[in-house]
Amino acid sequence: MDAIDVKILTLLQENARYPLKYLAEKVYLSSPAVSARIERLEKQGIISGYHVSLNPIVLGYHITAFINLTLEPKQKPDFYPFIESCPNVLECNCVTGAYSMMIKVCFPSTQELDGFIGQLQTFGRTETQIVFSTAVQPRGLKLGELLEHDNEEEPEE
């Protein structure tokens, strides 16, 4: 991956719907050359998808919460299909620490959140934090640092 790939990825993280012509102008290449680079980045698995960012509050989902859940390893075969089938689950991560799962959810009301927590408690103990505000919205990786790290020379012995 070179500096042009990093610039393309940075632009796509900013707005995945930028036209090829715009991207090409920004990196001083032709549209077909940019298209080929994007296709290569997709095949390498560096680009894993393109997503729309929705405003949950405008859509009536006023409650965002993080739920920590204790889960015994033997429960994972039952838990994973269950959690994947829950439409209000935005993210579920297996984590270290006192809890084994951290689940991000969005619900229209605290009553619906409470009902969901009751379902989760069949798997284990929960602890829930309701989000009041978000200081940093989900964002992409800072790729300039990646390129700088790759360009650092090995120290001489």
Side-chain angles (χ1 to χ4, degrees):
M1 189 162 59
D2 63 13
I4 293 172
D5 289 339
V6 168
K7 180 68 173 173
I8 290 169
L9 291 170
T10 300
L11 290 165
L12 288 174
Q13 285 185 119
E14 184 180 295
N15 181 353
R17 291 189 53 143
Y18 278 144
L20 277 175
K21 183 178 177 182
Y22 176 81
L23 296 171
E25 289 171 2
K26 291 294 185 184
V27 298
Y28 307 105
L29 293 176
S30 67
S31 293
V34 171
S35 179
R37 282 175 175 262
I38 291 171
E39 186 175 329
R40 178 178 46 79
L41 293 166
E42 290 170 343
K43 285 181 180 171
Q44 291 175 334
I46 294 170
I47 296 175
S48 62
Y50 300 88
H51 308 277
V52 172
S53 179
L54 302 177
N55 183 334
I57 293 171
V58 172
L59 295 171
Y61 291 83
H62 299 277
I63 306 298
T64 298
F66 289 91
I67 304 168
N68 294 303
L69 170 70
T70 57
L71 185 72
E72 295 297 322
K74 66 184 177 193
Q75 294 175 289
K76 287 181 180 181
D78 293 327
F79 175 74
Y80 284 152
F82 164 76
I83 203 70
E84 198 169 303
S85 73
C86 298
N88 297 79
V89 172
L90 303 178
E91 199 174 316
C92 179
N93 299 283
C94 186
V95 297
T96 62
Y99 294 92
S100 49
M101 295 291 163
M102 184 169 65
I103 306 160
K104 182 178 181 182
V105 298
C106 215
F107 283 93
S109 68
T110 54
Q111 291 81 7
E112 290 172 86
L113 172 61
D114 185 45
F116 179 70
I117 292 169
Q119 290 178 303
L120 282 179
Q121 288 172 337
T122 64
F123 292 98
R125 185 171 54 91
T126 63
E127 182 178 284
T128 303
Q129 297 86 39
I130 293 177
V131 175
F132 288 146
S133 64
T134 303
V136 177
Q137 292 293 330
R139 60 184 178 195
L141 296 171
K142 298 288 184 195
L143 297 174
E145 296 167 5
L146 174 72
L147 192 60
E148 289 171 12
H149 177 60
D150 288 347
N151 290 335
E152 289 178 2
E153 294 182 1
E154 295 288 323
E156 292 184 30
E157 294 180 24

